[in-house]
């Protein structure tokens, strides 16, 4: 009997390293990475009404209304690859009501990872972040520079990655994070995100391995 796959939520302030760590987690554990922010940016790229509306909120550093976000994430969670490989939910839930939407479907994580990073580092990380539109890889001009000139010349910046906007995004984060944590207290796993990305991943890896171990021990058929 195949054991039930991992179900992971990852949360943290803007630029705390969620996307970077999700890449590493996905590579090792094979989970399906579902990023609320990426789903929204894909919707904006289609030019749809929902995309236009979402962009207005994202430009102000505010949460996009539930009627757009909740449906999007729920739909993605219902796909067969998620059931088979497990999920890694990044940037969702960001409010009490978003968490309750999952609770009502009995969708719960095995572990809720919270990346903790100081505000000064967050601003520096946002301002230096660059994205490769070809591979989707996340870079940082100082901490994760591109491998060669060809990649360097095609890097882009996100429309909400300015010092002014990150301050608004941070405020929104701090207004909501406690109410979300309160729902996942029993599976909360705090990680110091100020270290290098390898060190941060080592901590996360420890947490995920111990969850897997517990799942195996609890499953009488394994
Ligand atoms: P979203 O796209 O989720 O953005 P965010 O939460 O602000 O997070 P980021 O993607 O900016 O950062 P990250 O934590 O992934 O960091 P990264 O790994 O890139 O959301 C954007 C907007 O969409 C929101 O503001 C909101 O409007 C809307 N939205 C999204 N979800 C929503 C929801 N559920 N409900 C309503 N609205 C929603 O790293 C950042 C930089 O730091 C990179 O350059 C990286 O190379 C570098 N870095 C990473 N780790 C390290 C390290 N250890 N040391 C040094 N540098 C590092």
């Amino acid at each position: 009997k195949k054991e039930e796959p991992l179900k992971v939520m990852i949360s943290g302030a803007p630029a705390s390293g969620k996307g970077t760590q999700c890449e590493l987690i996905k590579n090792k554990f094979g989970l399906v990475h579902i990023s609320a922010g990426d789903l929204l940016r894909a919707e904006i790229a289609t030019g749809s009404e929902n995309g236009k509306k979402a962009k207005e909120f994202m430009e102000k550093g505010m949460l996009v209304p539930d009627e757009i976000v909740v449906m999007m994430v729920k739909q993605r969670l219902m796909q067969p690859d998620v059931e088979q490989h497990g999920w890694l939910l990044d940037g969702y839930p960001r409010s009490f009501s978003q968490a309750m939407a999952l609770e009502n479907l009995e969708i719960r994580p095995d572990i809720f990872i919270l990346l903790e990073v100081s505000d000064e580092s967050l601003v520096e990380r946002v301002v230096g972040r660059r994205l490769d539109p070809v591979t989707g890889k996340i870079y940082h001009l100082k901490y994760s520079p591109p491998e060669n000139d060809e990649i360097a010349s095609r890097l882009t910046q996100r429309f909400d990655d300015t010092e002014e906007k990150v301050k608004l995004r941070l405020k929104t984060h701090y207004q909501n994070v406690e109410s979300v944590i309160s729902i996942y207290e029993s599976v909360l796993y705090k990680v110091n995100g100020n270290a290098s990305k390898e060190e941060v991943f080592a901590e996360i890896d420890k947490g995920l391995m111990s969850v897997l171990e517990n799942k195996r021990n609890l499953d009488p058929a394994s």
Side-chain angles (χ1 to χ4, degrees), residues 12-21 35-38 40-41 54 57-59 61-66 69 73 90-94 98 115 125-126 128-130 138-141 143-144 158 160-161 169 193-198 200:
S16 55
K18 300 181 293 293
T20 300
Q21 294 302 322
S35 156
D38 287 350
L40 287 167
R41 282 182 288 275
F57 287 86
M58 291 165 79
E59 284 187 318
M62 290 162 67
L63 293 184
V64 172
D66 278 3
V69 177
V73 171
D90 164 7
Y92 187 101
R94 283 193 205 231
Q98 290 183 7
L115 292 176
R125 286 187 189 181
V126 157
R129 169 165 50 194
R130 295 293 182 278
I138 306 164
Y139 290 94
H140 189 281
L141 295 179
Y143 301 113
S144 284
R158 248 167 63 178
D160 55 352
D161 271 358
R169 285 155 62 196
N194 291 298
S196 73
K197 74 176 188 187
E198 292 79 15
V200 175

Side-chain angles (χ1 to χ4, degrees), residues 98-116:
Q98 290 183 7
M100 291 319 286
L102 295 187
E103 285 288 300
N104 291 336
L105 296 169
E106 295 184 16
I107 296 176
R108 300 200 179 97
D110 299 311
I111 184 169
F112 184 95
I113 301 169
L114 179 67
L115 292 176
E116 297 186 299

Side-chain angles (χ1 to χ4, degrees), residues 160-209:
D160 55 352
D161 271 358
T162 62
E163 184 164 347
E164 177 209 358
K165 287 191 176 149
V166 77
K167 288 191 173 143
L168 300 172
R169 285 155 62 196
L170 254 181
K171 194 169 155 223
T172 303
H173 170 74
Y174 287 125
Q175 278 166 351
N176 293 290
V177 67
E178 293 302 328
S179 67
V180 175
I181 287 175
S182 71
I183 299 175
Y184 301 109
E185 202 77 66
S186 64
V187 289
L188 180 61
Y189 185 74
K190 290 187 181 177
V191 173
N192 174 8
N194 291 298
S196 73
K197 74 176 188 187
E198 292 79 15
E199 287 168 305
V200 175
F201 180 65
E203 274 304 298
I204 291 177
D205 190 24
K206 234 195 281 175
L208 295 181
M209 292 305 285

Side-chain angles (χ1 to χ4, degrees), residues 2 7-8 15 22 36 42 55 60 86 140 168 176 205 209 222:
K2 196 177 175 298
K7 298 172 284 179
V8 179
C22 284
K55 193 170 182 200
K60 294 185 202 137
H140 189 281
L168 300 172
N176 293 290
D205 190 24
M209 292 305 285
S222 70

Side-chain angles (χ1 to χ4, degrees), residues 68-83:
I68 297 178
V69 177
V70 173
M71 177 209 49
M72 248 175 174
V73 171
K74 269 193 201 170
Q75 274 178 359
R76 187 63 192 88
L77 278 168
M78 301 299 169
Q79 303 299 314
D81 59 335
V82 175
E83 198 183 328

